[in-house]
Amino acid sequence: MSEQRLRIAIQKKGRLSDSTVKLLKACGIKVNLNTQRLIAHSENMPIDILRVRDDDIPGLIMDGVVDLGFIGQNVLEEESMMRGVAGEATAHKVVKELNFGGCRFSLAVDNDFDYQGVQSLSGLRIATTYIHILKRFMEEANVPYTSCMLTGSVEVAPRAGLADAICDLVSTGATLEANGLKEVEVIYRSTAVLMQREKALSNEKQCLVDKLLTRIDGVQTAKESKYIMLNAPKANLQAISDLLPGSDLPTVMELAGSDDHVALHVVSKENLFWETMEQLKVLGASSILVLPIEKMME
Ligand SMILES: Nc1ncnc2c1ncn2[C@@H]1O[C@H](COP(=O)(O)OP(=O)(O)OP(=O)(O)O)[C@@H](O)[C@H]1O
Ligand SMILES: O=P(O)(O)OC[C@H]1O[C@H](OP(=O)(O)OP(=O)(O)O)[C@H](O)[C@@H]1O
Ligand SMILES: [Mg+2]
């Protein structure tokens, strides 16, 4: 691997992989990730993509072996605490928060457990993957407990008799429900982030990182924005514009053959909900189109 090429670590297979690969592609990085190879070289930029288990990504950045890494904040936090205890290097920079991988790290117990607050867990055994984040929470709450470290299938621990409670990642809550568990305490909220090694990069590499960060902003803003087109009666133009969420100034255009209606186009920073569309309709708007935006640069 050449020192001149930017090294980016991504999760090989799992919850973050698809969104990360999609983001890299949307940023214009051409790379063939259809093979099983650990390292993939971009065809159009001096970038190498390393595909590893997510647990390994923070360490690779903290040891300066890799320049950038896409990782869940929960894994980053856990690794930082673990290395802190072991006296190992933890320095890094979080250079971008990402709009995927959103989840919470929560305590959960059996549905029939009489939970009266975190004190109810006193002296019990809690299964988790992220033992340090759990430890910090329980110490702050001053509740003694025993931890049981499991790297997967944490939700089955109570039924299997391995633990009395669990602390695991939750998004929809479907996995908890399927295992007869209820969420009782959210102890950490996480999204995916882009992290960079602490030691300065060469000018060329840093320029490339800056370009990538601008492109990520462009992709993320575009994803949250919509291009809205509609026809509106001139009499209600102001009322209609006021209803459009977080929008820039609209473009108003003549409609061929109509004296009392105009076409209105606007980029909105938020999605347009059905309720708002119905209100627009009441104000006389018609032919309302809400279109996705692929890229943006402001
Ligand atoms: N249900 C979820 N919804 C959204 N994001 C999630 C969810 N579960 C986990 N995540 C986020 O995605 C990250 C990766 O989750 P995943 O389940 O793929 O990890 P893993 O099984 O540890 O993978 P690996 O094999 O790479 O170690 C988590 O650390 C968390 O930040
Ligand atoms: O609240 P939910 O939407 O049900 O999501 C929560 C589940 O998602 C994650 O696991 P994942 O499905 O990624 O599989 P894994 O256990 O193999 O990591 C997490 O570890 C939970 O088990
Ligand atoms: Mg993992």
Side-chain angles (χ1 to χ4, degrees), residues 26-247:
C27 287
I29 302 174
K30 283 193 189 158
V31 61
N32 177 10
L33 294 171
N34 296 328
T35 65
Q36 284 303 305
R37 282 174 37 203
L38 171 67
I39 300 166
H41 307 287
S42 166
E43 303 154 25
N44 64 332
M45 290 192 196
I47 293 177
D48 292 333
I49 307 287
L50 273 92
R51 294 190 296 170
V52 294
R53 284 200 63 185
D54 69 343
D55 316 59
D56 297 332
I57 294 174
L60 289 169
I61 302 284
M62 290 166 183
D63 291 337
V65 181
V66 168
D67 304 315
L68 291 179
F70 287 85
I71 190 67
Q73 282 166 317
N74 53 306
V75 176
L76 173 53
E77 185 79 0
E78 179 70 18
E79 181 74 16
S80 297
M81 280 194 255
M82 199 172 80
R83 284 180 163 237
V85 171
E88 292 168 9
T90 58
H92 66 275
K93 297 183 266 192
V94 170
V95 288
K96 189 69 68 192
E97 290 198 3
L98 304 164
N99 59 7
F100 59 85
C103 57
R104 47 197 194 273
F105 183 52
S106 295
L107 281 163
V109 292
D110 266 330
N111 280 328
D112 52 13
F113 188 108
D114 179 24
Y115 186 80
Q116 301 290 337
V118 66
Q119 286 296 339
S120 300
L121 301 176
S122 185
L124 298 186
R125 196 171 151 82
I126 308 175
T128 190
T129 307
Y130 307 99
I131 51 174
H132 292 89
I133 305 181
L134 174 63
K135 183 164 178 266
R136 180 174 61 193
F137 176 84
M138 296 301 276
E139 280 179 0
E140 278 169 11
N142 208 14
V143 176
Y145 74 105
T146 314
S147 75
C148 164
M149 160 71 171
L150 293 177
T151 56
S153 306
V154 176
E155 290 94 346
V156 303
R159 274 203 185 155
L162 300 176
D164 306 297
I166 66 153
C167 199
D168 198 19
L169 301 173
V170 184
S171 149
T172 62
T175 311
L176 289 184
E177 201 182 316
N179 287 283
L181 301 170
K182 60 180 176 191
E183 185 176 5
V184 289
E185 216 80 55
V186 176
I187 75 169
Y188 189 83
R189 288 187 191 275
S190 178
T191 64
V193 292
L194 179 59
M195 60 185 296
Q196 181 176 336
R197 72 170 209 211
E198 173 72 2
K199 198 171 148 226
L201 300 171
S202 67
N203 282 345
E204 292 78 11
K205 276 190 182 183
Q206 190 55 52
C207 280
L208 188 52
V209 171
D210 293 342
K211 186 189 272 191
L212 197 57
L213 293 178
T214 307
R215 291 187 183 187
I216 290 175
D217 277 340
V219 174
Q220 295 206 140
T221 320
K223 201 167 155 194
E224 286 150 17
S225 303
K226 297 286 175 226
Y227 192 83
I228 300 167
M229 301 196 280
L230 53 85
N231 294 343
K234 281 182 183 170
N236 285 346
L237 202 53
Q238 191 56 51
I240 286 177
S241 303
D242 291 347
L243 272 182
L244 297 171
S247 55

Side-chain angles (χ1 to χ4, degrees), residues 260-291:
D260 50 359
H261 280 66
V262 285
L264 189 147
H265 288 199
V266 74
V267 172
S268 167
K269 294 272 160 60
E270 298 161 36
N271 200 353
L272 192 64
F273 293 107
W274 282 111
E275 289 73 15
T276 314
M277 288 178 78
E278 284 150 10
Q279 286 172 287
L280 289 168
K281 197 105 183 105
V282 170
L283 287 169
S286 59
S287 304
I288 308 169
L289 297 181
V290 181
L291 309 175

